Amino acid sequence: MINDVLQYRLSTVIHQLSKTLVKMKFTYTEKKDTRSGFGAGLAELADKNPNVVALCADLIGSLKMEKFIEKAPERFFQVGIAEANMMGLAAGLSITGKIPFTGTFANFSTSRVYDQIRQSIAYSGKNVKICASHAGLTLGEDGATHQVLEDIGMMKMLPGMTVINPCDYNQTKAATLAIADFEGPVYLRFGRPVVPVFIPEDMPFEIGKGILLQEGTDVTIVATGHLVWESLVAADELEKEGISCEVINIHTIKPLDEEIILKSVEKTGKIVTAEEHNYLGGLGESVAGMLARKRPTRQEFVAVNDTFGESATPAELMKKYKIDAAAVKEAVKRILEK
């Protein structure tokens, strides 16, 4: 009887905390780059997990791997500008029981080495963590050759590959720690620009489970990566206009949390997907395919419209290619007018 009472009280407290979180207005006090969240997580793994090893393709500073090297120099491998070789080495290390974390730019982590990933890692389900920085348009001034916008599509099509795209520093750190305990190949995507840190530091990271950030009744906004904050900004502005938006953070694109999306669209009947990726092959397409099979729903896409990027600041590019808060607002209004 006492255990039953304690369990009931505990469940009540958890329920109230979850309701508070959903109603909470997310704010931020600082900005950090998500790649630094990866670096912090990797450094922590140097102490926590002796099987974690790190490999880098001549981009230690860009991937924020310095602290890992300071703590565990014997578990770091600098392979130079030889990304394909890095993937092969990672596959081999995984066979010995190690947990390899590879590090380079997202473009070089996918397009340049797709054959090695497919044949040596995905096909045999190797326990390799492919960690990709400088993803999307917000790489900025480096231009179209480095701004990969098709990587999510490439990686999610590989059987058995888990695809994760966290939204801020804290969530990227939490994701880095989580994938070390996850068995199987993972693609972890993050970026260079400083962005608001708004996810609580102690929020659990569960692979494959989306997070309801804000309740609403008129439209569902499902966002990933840098577009999560932009969607929260858009939802706050739309609320002042009398439009109620439900905002969901889908940090894991594969496997997709179908349950949280279906539950939301049952209520709203409309959905906007938002991502820093080509609309072909990204989060929006995964959501559309799932809804087509299980609950056809009106949908608008906030994504890059089948084009390469160009050189400019991250803010300028997000505005021009319509993947900022203003673009999310426009998409919500379009779908409400239909």
Side-chain angles (χ1 to χ4, degrees):
M1 177 65 72
I2 294 176
N3 287 340
D4 290 342
V5 171
L6 288 174
Q7 186 174 2
Y8 172 76
R9 288 179 177 174
L10 180 61
S11 65
T12 301
V13 170
I14 292 173
H15 177 72
Q16 290 301 322
L17 284 172
S18 66
K19 295 294 286 183
T20 301
L21 175 63
V22 170
K23 291 179 179 179
M24 180 177 70
K25 291 293 184 184
F26 282 85
T27 58
Y28 72 95
T29 57
E30 63 178 336
K31 290 185 176 184
K32 291 184 177 181
D33 48 337
T34 51
R35 61 177 173 159
S36 287
F38 165 72
L42 190 64
E44 191 168 320
L45 287 171
D47 297 324
K48 290 179 63 175
N49 193 328
N51 285 321
V52 168
V53 296
L55 301 88
C56 189
D58 203 33
L59 289 167
I60 292 171
S62 294
L63 272 289
K64 305 297 181 180
M65 287 180 158
E66 298 95 334
K67 289 183 179 178
F68 180 92
I69 298 170
E70 289 174 12
K71 292 184 174 187
E74 75 285 357
R75 286 152 50 198
F76 175 76
F77 302 89
Q78 173 61 276
V79 302
I81 306 175
E83 293 85 356
N85 188 39
M86 179 170 68
M87 295 302 170
L89 285 169
L93 285 164
S94 71
I95 295 172
T96 70
K98 301 303 180 183
I99 306 171
F101 279 64
T102 68
T104 186
F105 290 175
N107 199 16
F108 308 146
S109 290
T110 55
S111 304
R112 182 171 289 181
V113 294
Y114 198 68
D115 179 61
Q116 283 73 25
I117 293 173
R118 183 185 188 276
Q119 302 299 95
S120 299
I121 297 173
Y123 179 62
S124 50
K126 295 291 193 304
N127 193 29
V128 175
K129 316 307 174 185
I130 302 165
C131 305
S133 183
H134 294 57
L137 281 177
T138 50
L139 174 55
E141 292 84 353
D142 284 9
T145 57
H146 286 52
Q147 294 163 349
V148 66
L149 293 166
E150 60 276 6
D151 56 319
I152 289 174
M154 294 173 67
M155 300 306 284
K156 78 177 186 181
M157 286 192 296
L158 289 169
M161 182 67 70
T162 295
V163 179
I164 298 174
N165 187 38
C167 65
D168 74 350
Y169 172 93
N170 286 338
Q171 191 166 78
T172 306
K173 180 181 178 182
T176 303
L177 294 170
I179 65 175
D181 295 326
F182 177 83
E183 184 67 29
V186 175
Y187 179 64
L188 178 64
R189 182 189 206 246
F190 43 92
R192 181 172 74 175
V194 292
V195 294
V197 180
F198 61 97
I199 295 294
E201 187 176 2
D202 59 351
M203 178 178 281
F205 186 91
E206 189 174 355
I207 295 171
K209 293 295 182 183
I211 302 172
L212 178 60
L213 297 178
Q214 177 175 310
E215 288 185 336
T217 56
D218 294 328
V219 62
T220 299
I221 303 175
V222 171
T224 189
H226 294 147
L227 267 292
V228 176
W229 176 253
E230 299 295 321
S231 296
L232 285 170
V233 171
D236 187 54
E237 294 176 2
L238 287 164
E239 186 178 358
K240 296 171 185 175
E241 301 178 31
I243 300 171
S244 175
C245 299
E246 186 143 294
V247 182
I248 298 171
N249 172 7
I250 294 292
H251 50 70
T252 307
I253 295 168
K254 182 188 176 186
L256 183 67
D257 188 348
E258 299 182 356
E259 182 181 357
I260 195 172
I261 298 170
L262 289 169
K263 183 178 180 180
S264 182
V265 297
E266 283 289 341
K267 176 171 55 174
T268 65
K270 296 168 286 293
I271 189 167
V272 171
T273 53
E275 60 192 310
E276 186 185 351
H277 190 270
N278 193 337
Y279 81 91
L280 296 168
L283 168 67
E285 217 175 55
S286 289
V287 171
M290 182 273 291
L291 292 175
R293 293 189 303 272
K294 299 191 174 182
R295 192 198 186 282
T297 304
R298 286 180 289 169
Q299 180 176 347
E300 286 284 340
F301 293 73
V302 175
V304 177
N305 187 20
D306 194 24
T307 184
F308 290 103
E310 59 188 291
S311 180
T313 67
E316 289 170 336
L317 291 166
M318 291 179 76
K319 180 178 179 180
K320 177 172 180 176
Y321 290 89
K322 295 186 180 298
I323 55 167
D324 58 3
V328 176
K329 285 179 63 178
E330 290 174 10
V332 168
K333 291 183 177 181
R334 283 197 306 271
I335 205 166
L336 289 174
E337 290 170 356
K338 290 184 179 179

